[in-house]
């Protein structure tokens, strides 16, 4: 539950920034594609217990990096 709370807060922060400061053009929201993968990971995490969660650390870290990279590229592209 703690993990889900952190991810939902993270999603909210990314979306809030994008809506307030960088809402045009549409491709600045391309990072949202990664949300689907992270929701799948979160769904699998809820089905596991403590030591079985270790393989999900790498998946979560890599998807978070991809999310951050897409967000950074999206808000820094000027047209």
């Amino acid at each position: 539950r703690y993990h889900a709370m952190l991810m939902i807060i993270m999603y909210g922060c990314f979306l809030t920034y994008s809506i307030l400061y960088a809402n045009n053009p549409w491709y600045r929201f391309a990072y949202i594609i990664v949300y689907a993968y992270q929701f799948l990971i979160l769904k699998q995490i809820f089905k596991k217990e403590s030591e079985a969660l270790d393989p999900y650390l790498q998946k979560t870290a890599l998807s978070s990096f991809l999310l951050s990279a897409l967000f950074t590229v999206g808000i820094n592209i000027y047209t």
Side-chain angles (χ1 to χ4, degrees), residues 37-38 41 44 54-65:
Y37 180 66
Q38 288 185 332
I41 293 172
Q44 293 172 356
D54 289 344
Y56 295 101
L57 179 60
Q58 182 180 9
K59 292 178 184 180
T60 303
L62 290 175
S63 66
S64 297
F65 174 75

Side-chain angles (χ1 to χ4, degrees), residues 21-60:
Y21 300 109
N23 59 357
N24 278 328
W26 64 269
Y27 58 78
R28 291 192 175 172
F29 289 93
Y31 65 90
I32 294 175
I33 295 168
V34 180
Y35 283 7
Y37 180 66
Q38 288 185 332
F39 277 123
L40 288 174
I41 293 172
L42 191 58
K43 186 177 173 182
Q44 293 172 356
I45 285 173
F46 276 122
K47 295 177 183 176
K48 305 291 181 182
E49 292 298 322
S50 62
E51 292 175 3
L53 295 174
D54 289 344
Y56 295 101
L57 179 60
Q58 182 180 9
K59 292 178 184 180
T60 303

Side-chain angles (χ1 to χ4, degrees), residues 10 14 31 34 63-73:
M10 174 196 62
F14 273 100
Y31 65 90
V34 180
S63 66
S64 297
F65 174 75
L66 181 61
L67 176 73
S68 299
L70 286 174
F71 178 78
T72 301
V73 169

